Amino acid sequence: MTAIETAIGEPDWRRAADLIHGAGTLALACHVSPDGDALGSMLGLGLALARSGKKVVASFGDRVLEVPRLLRFLPGQELLVEAPAYPAEPDLMITFDASTMERLGLLAPHAGKAGELLVIDHHVSNTRFGTVHLVDPSAASTTMVVEELIHRLGLRVDRSVATCLYAGLVTDTGSFRHSVTTPAAHAMAGRLLETGLRPEELARELWDRSPYAYLRVLGAALGRATLEPDAAGGHGLVWTFVSRADRAAEGLPYDEVEGVIDVVRRVDEAEVAVVLKEDDDGGWNVSTRSKGVVDVARACAALGGGGHARAAGFSSALPVADTMAALRPLLTSSPPHLPSPRTEP
Ligand code: 5GP
Ligand code: MN
């Protein structure tokens, strides 16, 4: 492959490569409730390193280490270890797709005690919480940064590694639909397809299957979707929620409802779409999307979350109505001096 144009300086690339080459065991971690980019970037680099003879452990800091069903096709899951088996004070820890230390959940203390902390990410809001940073806000996905790193380490992208990297690329670009879909993103897809991976097989796993229970829960959520034309600075808001009672009634696990926002966000009359999802412990995770006028990352950051200008989220312990009451006034148009908003996870 050819080197992609990045916002990351040569000294950072070199320092990252030196750290990896010099490390014994590499401790990898991605953000909690991992999505395709988080797991894809972590397992992609993990596999490439493991194949080269490195000792690698990987994990994420959720209370229960369970890969979402949609992502169970990803290669490299044999690298995953539960928190007790994860080094308490890693010599070198590498984080993926996490914009803040808190996004590491139960593994945040491990990151705090790591000798060196290499942060690999593409969120513009990244707080640079490590000792070395490969953070490129112009990258469509964290897997784009990882592909470049693999290349610079002299490692091979075989079909398994490519599958992981492609999963992050297609999920974060929304199948090459979002505004982050650059020529570099397509060029990377081309390189990955050269390994023989089957895009239609990934697409089916990621988007085109679900248990019947999902239809029932989706139906309930869509049935109570509310359109507020005057909200979001008069640009319109559409929102709904999925409670744990909804899911329990159909026996649907939490990780199956991630795609609800992709249906709700299509509403023409709304600039902003919001889906509140209750997890099994009664906490709410709020997904927000905008079409470019409202900076949802700013709104979510004000409520303790974060993300991208057009795709962001936060957690809430409040009842649905109270969470919406807190969020609504924050959904205002971006001042014109802000850089044009980017898209997606
Ligand atoms: P999703 O709605 O798909 O879960 O998340 C959309 C984007 O917002 C992703 O980039 C995700 O990492 C980010 N995000 C979601 N929830 C949170 C949160 O609680 N805190 C932060 N910092 N980012 C979040
Ligand atoms: Mn990402």
Side-chain angles (χ1 to χ4, degrees), residues 226-239 267-274 289-291 293-294 331:
T226 305
L227 177 66
E228 300 181 16
D230 297 332
H235 298 285
L237 163 70
V238 62
W239 67 276
V267 169
D268 281 335
E269 294 88 339
E271 155 72 14
V272 177
V274 177
R289 300 290 186 269
S290 92
K291 291 173 184 162
V293 175
V294 172
L331 299 173

PDB file of all heavy atoms in Angstrom, residues 226-239 267-274 289-291 293-294 331:
ATOM      1  N   THR A 226     -41.467  10.141  18.044  1.00  0.00           N
ATOM      2  CA  THR A 226     -42.112  11.448  18.162  1.00  0.00           C
ATOM      3  C   THR A 226     -41.374  12.463  17.308  1.00  0.00           C
ATOM      4  O   THR A 226     -40.145  12.571  17.389  1.00  0.00           O
ATOM      5  CB  THR A 226     -42.073  11.921  19.635  1.00  0.00           C
ATOM      6  OG1 THR A 226     -42.671  10.905  20.439  1.00  0.00           O
ATOM      7  CG2 THR A 226     -42.815  13.227  19.810  1.00  0.00           C
ATOM      8  N   LEU A 227     -42.117  13.205  16.500  1.00  0.00           N
ATOM      9  CA  LEU A 227     -41.529  14.267  15.689  1.00  0.00           C
ATOM     10  C   LEU A 227     -41.847  15.606  16.345  1.00  0.00           C
ATOM     11  O   LEU A 227     -43.012  15.909  16.612  1.00  0.00           O
ATOM     12  CB  LEU A 227     -42.093  14.234  14.264  1.00  0.00           C
ATOM     13  CG  LEU A 227     -41.598  15.348  13.335  1.00  0.00           C
ATOM     14  CD1 LEU A 227     -40.107  15.218  13.052  1.00  0.00           C
ATOM     15  CD2 LEU A 227     -42.392  15.347  12.026  1.00  0.00           C
ATOM     16  N   GLU A 228     -40.792  16.377  16.597  1.00  0.00           N
ATOM     17  CA  GLU A 228     -40.960  17.724  17.169  1.00  0.00           C
ATOM     18  C   GLU A 228     -40.383  18.725  16.174  1.00  0.00           C
ATOM     19  O   GLU A 228     -39.185  19.017  16.200  1.00  0.00           O
ATOM     20  CB  GLU A 228     -40.239  17.823  18.515  1.00  0.00           C
ATOM     21  CG  GLU A 228     -40.755  16.837  19.557  1.00  0.00           C
ATOM     22  CD  GLU A 228     -40.022  16.970  20.903  1.00  0.00           C
ATOM     23  OE1 GLU A 228     -39.345  17.997  21.122  1.00  0.00           O
ATOM     24  OE2 GLU A 228     -40.129  16.035  21.712  1.00  0.00           O
ATOM     25  N   PRO A 229     -41.231  19.265  15.290  1.00  0.00           N
ATOM     26  CA  PRO A 229     -40.728  20.120  14.204  1.00  0.00           C
ATOM     27  C   PRO A 229     -40.055  21.399  14.703  1.00  0.00           C
ATOM     28  O   PRO A 229     -39.156  21.911  14.040  1.00  0.00           O
ATOM     29  CB  PRO A 229     -41.991  20.464  13.400  1.00  0.00           C
ATOM     30  CG  PRO A 229     -43.039  19.516  13.864  1.00  0.00           C
ATOM     31  CD  PRO A 229     -42.689  19.089  15.242  1.00  0.00           C
ATOM     32  N   ASP A 230     -40.452  21.888  15.865  1.00  0.00           N
ATOM     33  CA  ASP A 230     -39.910  23.157  16.358  1.00  0.00           C
ATOM     34  C   ASP A 230     -38.607  22.993  17.138  1.00  0.00           C
ATOM     35  O   ASP A 230     -37.921  23.973  17.420  1.00  0.00           O
ATOM     36  CB  ASP A 230     -40.939  23.854  17.267  1.00  0.00           C
ATOM     37  CG  ASP A 230     -42.201  24.202  16.497  1.00  0.00           C
ATOM     38  OD1 ASP A 230     -42.094  24.403  15.270  1.00  0.00           O
ATOM     39  OD2 ASP A 230     -43.278  24.233  17.113  1.00  0.00           O
ATOM     40  N   ALA A 231     -38.280  21.746  17.485  1.00  0.00           N
ATOM     41  CA  ALA A 231     -37.066  21.519  18.282  1.00  0.00           C
ATOM     42  C   ALA A 231     -35.829  21.629  17.391  1.00  0.00           C
ATOM     43  O   ALA A 231     -35.925  21.833  16.184  1.00  0.00           O
ATOM     44  CB  ALA A 231     -37.140  20.151  18.948  1.00  0.00           C
ATOM     45  N   ALA A 232     -34.661  21.511  18.006  1.00  0.00           N
ATOM     46  CA  ALA A 232     -33.371  21.610  17.306  1.00  0.00           C
ATOM     47  C   ALA A 232     -33.302  22.914  16.504  1.00  0.00           C
ATOM     48  O   ALA A 232     -32.981  22.911  15.306  1.00  0.00           O
ATOM     49  CB  ALA A 232     -33.132  20.385  16.418  1.00  0.00           C
ATOM     50  N   GLY A 233     -33.589  23.997  17.176  1.00  0.00           N
ATOM     51  CA  GLY A 233     -33.503  25.314  16.540  1.00  0.00           C
ATOM     52  C   GLY A 233     -34.466  25.467  15.382  1.00  0.00           C
ATOM     53  O   GLY A 233     -34.188  26.203  14.429  1.00  0.00           O
ATOM     54  N   GLY A 234     -35.588  24.735  15.446  1.00  0.00           N
ATOM     55  CA  GLY A 234     -36.579  24.816  14.362  1.00  0.00           C
ATOM     56  C   GLY A 234     -36.264  23.895  13.195  1.00  0.00           C
ATOM     57  O   GLY A 234     -36.995  23.871  12.196  1.00  0.00           O
ATOM     58  N   HIS A 235     -35.191  23.120  13.313  1.00  0.00           N
ATOM     59  CA  HIS A 235     -34.812  22.201  12.225  1.00  0.00           C
ATOM     60  C   HIS A 235     -35.435  20.821  12.389  1.00  0.00           C
ATOM     61  O   HIS A 235     -35.312  19.980  11.503  1.00  0.00           O
ATOM     62  CB  HIS A 235     -33.295  22.087  12.133  1.00  0.00           C
ATOM     63  CG  HIS A 235     -32.612  23.376  11.810  1.00  0.00           C
ATOM     64  ND1 HIS A 235     -32.634  23.925  10.545  1.00  0.00           N
ATOM     65  CD2 HIS A 235     -31.916  24.231  12.581  1.00  0.00           C
ATOM     66  CE1 HIS A 235     -31.959  25.062  10.558  1.00  0.00           C
ATOM     67  NE2 HIS A 235     -31.518  25.276  11.783  1.00  0.00           N
ATOM     68  N   GLY A 236     -36.058  20.602  13.541  1.00  0.00           N
ATOM     69  CA  GLY A 236     -36.784  19.347  13.735  1.00  0.00           C
ATOM     70  C   GLY A 236     -36.006  18.288  14.489  1.00  0.00           C
ATOM     71  O   GLY A 236     -34.804  18.122  14.290  1.00  0.00           O
ATOM     72  N   LEU A 237     -36.718  17.591  15.359  1.00  0.00           N
ATOM     73  CA  LEU A 237     -36.151  16.500  16.158  1.00  0.00           C
ATOM     74  C   LEU A 237     -37.090  15.309  16.057  1.00  0.00           C
ATOM     75  O   LEU A 237     -38.317  15.468  16.159  1.00  0.00           O
ATOM     76  CB  LEU A 237     -36.039  16.957  17.629  1.00  0.00           C
ATOM     77  CG  LEU A 237     -35.843  15.885  18.705  1.00  0.00           C
ATOM     78  CD1 LEU A 237     -34.451  15.266  18.601  1.00  0.00           C
ATOM     79  CD2 LEU A 237     -36.034  16.487  20.112  1.00  0.00           C
ATOM     80  N   VAL A 238     -36.541  14.123  15.845  1.00  0.00           N
ATOM     81  CA  VAL A 238     -37.343  12.907  15.939  1.00  0.00           C
ATOM     82  C   VAL A 238     -36.665  12.008  16.957  1.00  0.00           C
ATOM     83  O   VAL A 238     -35.444  11.897  16.982  1.00  0.00           O
ATOM     84  CB  VAL A 238     -37.504  12.204  14.565  1.00  0.00           C
ATOM     85  CG1 VAL A 238     -36.170  11.763  13.984  1.00  0.00           C
ATOM     86  CG2 VAL A 238     -38.458  11.020  14.685  1.00  0.00           C
ATOM     87  N   TRP A 239     -37.462  11.419  17.844  1.00  0.00           N
ATOM     88  CA  TRP A 239     -36.829  10.593  18.880  1.00  0.00           C
ATOM     89  C   TRP A 239     -37.745   9.467  19.311  1.00  0.00           C
ATOM     90  O   TRP A 239     -38.965   9.538  19.157  1.00  0.00           O
ATOM     91  CB  TRP A 239     -36.418  11.451  20.083  1.00  0.00           C
ATOM     92  CG  TRP A 239     -37.551  12.047  20.860  1.00  0.00           C
ATOM     93  CD1 TRP A 239     -38.219  13.199  20.573  1.00  0.00           C
ATOM     94  CD2 TRP A 239     -38.154  11.512  22.043  1.00  0.00           C
ATOM     95  NE1 TRP A 239     -39.190  13.426  21.506  1.00  0.00           N
ATOM     96  CE2 TRP A 239     -39.184  12.408  22.428  1.00  0.00           C
ATOM     97  CE3 TRP A 239     -37.923  10.375  22.831  1.00  0.00           C
ATOM     98  CZ2 TRP A 239     -39.982  12.191  23.556  1.00  0.00           C
ATOM     99  CZ3 TRP A 239     -38.709  10.160  23.956  1.00  0.00           C
ATOM    100  CH2 TRP A 239     -39.722  11.067  24.310  1.00  0.00           C
ATOM    101  N   VAL A 267     -35.713  10.278   8.833  1.00  0.00           N
ATOM    102  CA  VAL A 267     -36.873  11.172   8.756  1.00  0.00           C
ATOM    103  C   VAL A 267     -36.504  12.544   8.169  1.00  0.00           C
ATOM    104  O   VAL A 267     -35.659  13.255   8.704  1.00  0.00           O
ATOM    105  CB  VAL A 267     -37.496  11.337  10.165  1.00  0.00           C
ATOM    106  CG1 VAL A 267     -38.534  12.448  10.182  1.00  0.00           C
ATOM    107  CG2 VAL A 267     -38.122  10.014  10.604  1.00  0.00           C
ATOM    108  N   ASP A 268     -37.137  12.903   7.068  1.00  0.00           N
ATOM    109  CA  ASP A 268     -36.834  14.150   6.362  1.00  0.00           C
ATOM    110  C   ASP A 268     -37.111  15.392   7.204  1.00  0.00           C
ATOM    111  O   ASP A 268     -36.442  16.402   7.060  1.00  0.00           O
ATOM    112  CB  ASP A 268     -37.699  14.256   5.092  1.00  0.00           C
ATOM    113  CG  ASP A 268     -37.135  13.412   3.966  1.00  0.00           C
ATOM    114  OD1 ASP A 268     -35.912  13.159   3.970  1.00  0.00           O
ATOM    115  OD2 ASP A 268     -37.928  13.005   3.096  1.00  0.00           O
ATOM    116  N   GLU A 269     -38.133  15.294   8.045  1.00  0.00           N
ATOM    117  CA  GLU A 269     -38.584  16.487   8.769  1.00  0.00           C
ATOM    118  C   GLU A 269     -37.708  16.804   9.980  1.00  0.00           C
ATOM    119  O   GLU A 269     -37.970  17.781  10.679  1.00  0.00           O
ATOM    120  CB  GLU A 269     -40.034  16.303   9.239  1.00  0.00           C
ATOM    121  CG  GLU A 269     -41.050  16.220   8.109  1.00  0.00           C
ATOM    122  CD  GLU A 269     -41.239  14.788   7.595  1.00  0.00           C
ATOM    123  OE1 GLU A 269     -40.347  13.933   7.814  1.00  0.00           O
ATOM    124  OE2 GLU A 269     -42.284  14.525   6.967  1.00  0.00           O
ATOM    125  N   ALA A 270     -36.695  15.990  10.236  1.00  0.00           N
ATOM    126  CA  ALA A 270     -35.895  16.199  11.449  1.00  0.00           C
ATOM    127  C   ALA A 270     -34.406  16.300  11.131  1.00  0.00           C
ATOM    128  O   ALA A 270     -33.841  15.442  10.456  1.00  0.00           O
ATOM    129  CB  ALA A 270     -36.141  15.069  12.442  1.00  0.00           C
ATOM    130  N   GLU A 271     -33.784  17.340  11.644  1.00  0.00           N
ATOM    131  CA  GLU A 271     -32.325  17.500  11.554  1.00  0.00           C
ATOM    132  C   GLU A 271     -31.621  16.549  12.518  1.00  0.00           C
ATOM    133  O   GLU A 271     -30.580  15.992  12.214  1.00  0.00           O
ATOM    134  CB  GLU A 271     -31.982  18.964  11.891  1.00  0.00           C
ATOM    135  CG  GLU A 271     -30.580  19.233  12.419  1.00  0.00           C
ATOM    136  CD  GLU A 271     -29.507  19.094  11.363  1.00  0.00           C
ATOM    137  OE1 GLU A 271     -29.844  19.051  10.165  1.00  0.00           O
ATOM    138  OE2 GLU A 271     -28.317  19.018  11.749  1.00  0.00           O
ATOM    139  N   VAL A 272     -32.246  16.343  13.688  1.00  0.00           N
ATOM    140  CA  VAL A 272     -31.622  15.519  14.723  1.00  0.00           C
ATOM    141  C   VAL A 272     -32.499  14.303  15.028  1.00  0.00           C
ATOM    142  O   VAL A 272     -33.728  14.424  15.108  1.00  0.00           O
ATOM    143  CB  VAL A 272     -31.396  16.332  16.020  1.00  0.00           C
ATOM    144  CG1 VAL A 272     -30.817  15.448  17.124  1.00  0.00           C
ATOM    145  CG2 VAL A 272     -30.481  17.518  15.755  1.00  0.00           C
ATOM    146  N   ALA A 273     -31.858  13.153  15.165  1.00  0.00           N
ATOM    147  CA  ALA A 273     -32.558  11.931  15.578  1.00  0.00           C
ATOM    148  C   ALA A 273     -31.929  11.425  16.873  1.00  0.00           C
ATOM    149  O   ALA A 273     -30.703  11.482  17.033  1.00  0.00           O
ATOM    150  CB  ALA A 273     -32.451  10.857  14.497  1.00  0.00           C
ATOM    151  N   VAL A 274     -32.764  10.957  17.773  1.00  0.00           N
ATOM    152  CA  VAL A 274     -32.286  10.471  19.068  1.00  0.00           C
ATOM    153  C   VAL A 274     -32.975   9.148  19.388  1.00  0.00           C
ATOM    154  O   VAL A 274     -34.201   9.031  19.232  1.00  0.00           O
ATOM    155  CB  VAL A 274     -32.595  11.493  20.196  1.00  0.00           C
ATOM    156  CG1 VAL A 274     -32.170  10.944  21.555  1.00  0.00           C
ATOM    157  CG2 VAL A 274     -31.915  12.827  19.917  1.00  0.00           C
ATOM    158  N   ARG A 289     -27.925  11.584  16.249  1.00  0.00           N
ATOM    159  CA  ARG A 289     -27.408  11.790  14.896  1.00  0.00           C
ATOM    160  C   ARG A 289     -27.927  13.131  14.381  1.00  0.00           C
ATOM    161  O   ARG A 289     -29.063  13.509  14.678  1.00  0.00           O
ATOM    162  CB  ARG A 289     -27.903  10.688  13.937  1.00  0.00           C
ATOM    163  CG  ARG A 289     -27.507   9.274  14.317  1.00  0.00           C
ATOM    164  CD  ARG A 289     -26.013   9.020  14.130  1.00  0.00           C
ATOM    165  NE  ARG A 289     -25.678   7.618  14.364  1.00  0.00           N
ATOM    166  CZ  ARG A 289     -25.310   7.118  15.548  1.00  0.00           C
ATOM    167  NH1 ARG A 289     -25.226   7.898  16.599  1.00  0.00           N
ATOM    168  NH2 ARG A 289     -25.020   5.839  15.671  1.00  0.00           N
ATOM    169  N   SER A 290     -27.098  13.826  13.590  1.00  0.00           N
ATOM    170  CA  SER A 290     -27.588  15.049  12.959  1.00  0.00           C
ATOM    171  C   SER A 290     -27.225  15.019  11.483  1.00  0.00           C
ATOM    172  O   SER A 290     -26.461  14.155  11.034  1.00  0.00           O
ATOM    173  CB  SER A 290     -26.990  16.287  13.625  1.00  0.00           C
ATOM    174  OG  SER A 290     -25.813  16.682  12.969  1.00  0.00           O
ATOM    175  N   LYS A 291     -27.804  15.950  10.746  1.00  0.00           N
ATOM    176  CA  LYS A 291     -27.536  15.998   9.305  1.00  0.00           C
ATOM    177  C   LYS A 291     -26.541  17.091   8.954  1.00  0.00           C
ATOM    178  O   LYS A 291     -26.305  17.349   7.781  1.00  0.00           O
ATOM    179  CB  LYS A 291     -28.846  16.168   8.550  1.00  0.00           C
ATOM    180  CG  LYS A 291     -29.719  14.910   8.658  1.00  0.00           C
ATOM    181  CD  LYS A 291     -31.098  15.086   8.078  1.00  0.00           C
ATOM    182  CE  LYS A 291     -31.917  13.809   8.320  1.00  0.00           C
ATOM    183  NZ  LYS A 291     -33.360  14.049   8.182  1.00  0.00           N
ATOM    184  N   VAL A 293     -26.321  20.449  10.592  1.00  0.00           N
ATOM    185  CA  VAL A 293     -26.565  21.801  11.113  1.00  0.00           C
ATOM    186  C   VAL A 293     -26.301  21.850  12.618  1.00  0.00           C
ATOM    187  O   VAL A 293     -25.685  22.774  13.126  1.00  0.00           O
ATOM    188  CB  VAL A 293     -28.012  22.262  10.792  1.00  0.00           C
ATOM    189  CG1 VAL A 293     -28.300  23.602  11.446  1.00  0.00           C
ATOM    190  CG2 VAL A 293     -28.222  22.326   9.283  1.00  0.00           C
ATOM    191  N   VAL A 294     -26.743  20.820  13.307  1.00  0.00           N
ATOM    192  CA  VAL A 294     -26.562  20.761  14.760  1.00  0.00           C
ATOM    193  C   VAL A 294     -25.356  19.881  15.087  1.00  0.00           C
ATOM    194  O   VAL A 294     -25.215  18.786  14.540  1.00  0.00           O
ATOM    195  CB  VAL A 294     -27.833  20.187  15.438  1.00  0.00           C
ATOM    196  CG1 VAL A 294     -27.595  19.935  16.927  1.00  0.00           C
ATOM    197  CG2 VAL A 294     -29.009  21.139  15.239  1.00  0.00           C
ATOM    198  N   LEU A 331     -29.678  21.226  21.677  1.00  0.00           N
ATOM    199  CA  LEU A 331     -29.666  20.930  20.233  1.00  0.00           C
ATOM    200  C   LEU A 331     -29.860  22.226  19.448  1.00  0.00           C
ATOM    201  O   LEU A 331     -30.920  22.518  18.929  1.00  0.00           O
ATOM    202  CB  LEU A 331     -30.760  19.916  19.888  1.00  0.00           C
ATOM    203  CG  LEU A 331     -30.621  18.561  20.596  1.00  0.00           C
ATOM    204  CD1 LEU A 331     -31.833  17.688  20.330  1.00  0.00           C
ATOM    205  CD2 LEU A 331     -29.332  17.858  20.160  1.00  0.00           C
TER     206      LEU A 331
END
